[in-house]
Amino acid sequence: MQVRTVLGDLPADQLGVTDAHDHLFFRSALLPGQELDDLDAATAEVRDFAAAGGQAIVQWTPYGLGRRVAELVKISADTGVHLVAATGLHRAEHYPAGLVDEVRPRLAEVFVRELTEGIGDTGVKAGLIKVASGFHILDEHARVVMVAAAEAQLATGVPIAIHHELGTAADAVLELLVDRSGVAPESVILGHLNRFPDHRFHLELAARGSFLAFDGPSRANNATDPRLFDCLATLIDAGYADRLLLGGDTTTARARASTGEGPGIPYLLTGLRPRLIRAFGPEIATQLFVTNPARAFVTRGTVRS
């Protein structure tokens, strides 16, 4: 089983301690002035993550939002940290006017090309499809993008990761991707669930067989850290520790550790991991940071080279 990184395919058991959802580069029309576009700052975050024991970061920045893939290659080569790049498409409001309309008729083609041939002219292949839901619903944009993502996933075996707006609509996503489109539940990663800390809802999702991502300790405006451990405890006690993933989801410049204003990527290991070990034991921490990512981000089948 392989994970597709920016430096090539990697045996899943070599992925190591993983930040399952983050952004080294990200540019959104909704966050003017907070772009993640500084190579030195991104490299510093990755070096600090590595110094804390980190070995892999999965970047969820999709098509059109400033992925800077060539720089991802340089960072990975310079730091020794495995990086996974994403294709896919975010919610429409994140893009400048006209971009979504231009690419929408050929989404599946774009996704498959970036997964099998490379992103732009870099030759670097994506290892993840990132898409997004609406708030409690799937609007027309979300449905079109997810149908294309399902087509690309079935053609390549690469996992689909979902931004859930404020943690909602994961049930609708599973209905569309798994029930209607035939994507295997273990190839679906449901993100941002800590922003909607409904334990019963999380248990229902876990029973479907998908991975549940709890991410965003950089998000002070959401119910992340304050309710995170209660969410995790409910799922672990119910026997779903093998479904759980953790990530930082750093999306603004001020959230980086290098600015002195935010926890940044290293916080997952310097702040969160010690608390996880105290609460649940080292075996569970290893499962969440090492074992589960190695299962969640594999290509299930053969991606054409």
Side-chain angles (χ1 to χ4, degrees):
M1 302 289 273
Q2 305 284 316
V3 176
R4 176 145 284 181
T5 79
V6 298
L7 296 182
D9 289 352
L10 179 78
D13 60 4
Q14 295 181 23
L15 192 64
V17 176
T18 302
D19 175 349
H21 177 182
D22 233 308
H23 302 270
L24 296 176
F25 299 106
F26 183 72
R27 176 181 293 272
S28 168
L30 296 180
L31 298 167
Q34 284 298 313
E35 295 83 5
L36 295 177
D37 58 6
D38 186 320
L39 173 60
D40 290 340
T43 303
E45 290 280 297
V46 177
R47 289 196 189 282
D48 288 346
F49 177 72
Q55 296 168 288
I57 299 171
V58 183
Q59 180 172 265
W60 287 30
T61 306
Y63 179 93
L65 294 181
R67 289 171 288 185
R68 297 184 63 170
V69 176
E71 282 83 354
L72 293 180
V73 171
K74 177 175 173 51
I75 292 172
S76 184
D78 288 350
T79 64
V81 173
H82 308 300
L83 300 178
V84 177
T87 186
L89 202 73
H90 212 322
R91 289 172 54 80
E93 56 263 36
H94 284 281
Y95 293 93
L99 189 149
V100 171
D101 290 339
E102 188 276 328
V103 75
R104 183 170 169 171
R106 51 191 180 88
L107 282 176
E109 174 190 342
V110 169
F111 298 166
V112 171
R113 183 175 67 248
E114 294 197 333
L115 292 164
T116 61
E117 300 177 19
I119 297 170
D121 60 359
T122 66
V124 176
K125 300 177 181 69
L128 181 73
I129 307 167
K130 188 266 186 67
V131 295
S133 78
F135 181 55
H136 282 294
I137 62 168
L138 299 184
D139 56 20
E140 181 187 5
H141 172 79
R143 288 185 177 277
V144 168
V145 174
M146 287 191 191
V147 168
E151 182 178 338
Q153 194 286 323
L154 292 171
T156 65
V158 168
I160 303 175
I162 297 94
H163 161 101
H164 292 287
E165 192 69 8
L166 296 179
T168 65
D171 48 353
V173 167
L174 290 178
E175 180 185 4
L176 178 56
L177 290 181
V178 176
D179 299 341
R180 297 188 184 184
S181 301
V183 175
E186 62 269 24
S187 292
V188 178
I189 300 164
L190 307 172
H192 301 326
L193 296 183
N194 42 317
R195 300 185 196 179
F196 191 70
D198 181 328
H199 299 325
R200 290 188 177 88
F201 186 50
H202 293 170
L203 289 169
E204 292 172 4
L205 298 174
R208 295 292 307 273
S210 295
F211 287 93
L212 281 59
F214 293 81
D215 40 52
S218 62
R219 304 301 187 91
N221 59 323
N222 294 126
T224 53
D225 287 2
R227 298 182 181 176
L228 173 61
F229 278 72
D230 288 340
C231 292
L232 294 177
T234 297
L235 290 160
I236 291 168
D237 290 347
Y240 294 121
D242 62 339
R243 303 275 197 275
L244 307 179
L245 300 169
L246 296 171
D249 191 26
T250 308
T251 56
T252 62
R254 70 166 58 96
R256 281 187 157 150
S258 58
T259 67
E261 297 183 56
I265 291 173
Y267 176 78
L268 278 179
L269 302 183
T270 60
L272 195 59
R273 185 170 59 175
R275 294 180 57 209
L276 284 167
I277 292 171
R278 291 195 296 271
F280 305 117
E283 294 82 5
I284 292 294
T286 297
Q287 189 162 21
L288 270 58
F289 282 111
V290 179
T291 310
N292 293 351
R295 293 171 48 241
F297 295 106
V298 297
T299 299
R300 301 180 191 281
T302 301
V303 176
R304 299 191 301 274
S305 298

